[in-house]
Amino acid sequence: MSESTIFTRILQGEIPGEIVAETDNVFAIRDIAPKAPVHLLVIPKTQEYRNVVELAAGDTALMAEMVEVAQNLAAERSDGDFRLIFNTGAGSGQTVFHVHAHVLSGGLDETSLGG
Ligand code: 5GP
């Protein structure tokens, strides 16, 4: 059994983090260092997929569930338009190797592409 990621520890209540949405397989939290007026992380409850490439190869239904949760959150918290970012690999800025989607919404401009 691999060590729990920071996101698993938040899900299990071991470290603080308000869960703003939850389905059977997915949960969402606010990013601790927001880069947009709405900056949420949508995360599978399982930590078995390290990045979106592994997720896409392993469970497309789970990936679709993440996108649906992202869409619902952007609709609830902003104008419904959103940017979905999966940093993949350390060179892209990925720091947590438990796949997660950054949902950025509200006040986006052409330059705010980073997660
Ligand atoms: P990555 O860089 O792996 O794509 O994204 C990881 C994200 O997790 C970062 O944007 C970072 O701000 C966020 N993050 C790291 N630790 C915590 C934490 O303890 N709580 C919350 N809410 N977000 C975190």
Side-chain angles (χ1 to χ4, degrees):
M1 184 74 187
S2 58
E3 197 172 304
S4 294
T5 67
I6 193 161
F7 297 147
T8 296
R9 295 178 68 205
I10 290 171
L11 178 64
Q12 293 177 345
E14 290 172 15
I15 56 175
E18 184 196 351
I19 294 175
V20 298
E22 186 170 5
T23 65
D24 285 349
N25 302 304
V26 167
F27 68 106
I29 59 175
R30 284 193 195 84
D31 197 293
I32 205 168
K35 303 285 198 304
V38 175
H39 185 173
L40 304 166
L41 301 173
V42 177
I43 310 163
K45 290 182 177 176
T46 176
Q47 64 173 46
E48 74 182 282
Y49 304 110
R50 288 168 51 84
N51 59 51
V52 70
V53 175
E54 291 186 6
L55 175 66
D59 193 338
T60 51
L62 180 56
M63 194 168 165
E65 194 169 329
M66 290 173 69
V67 174
E68 186 179 356
V69 170
Q71 180 185 31
N72 291 341
L73 285 166
E76 280 167 28
R77 290 163 185 263
S78 186
D79 61 4
D81 293 342
F82 63 99
R83 193 169 281 155
L84 199 61
I85 296 173
F86 292 88
N87 291 329
T88 306
S92 76
Q94 187 177 5
T95 57
V96 181
F97 293 86
H98 172 168
V99 64
H100 53 280
H102 294 258
V103 182
L104 300 169
S105 190
L108 298 177
D109 62 40
E110 289 167 14
T111 58
S112 60
L113 280 171

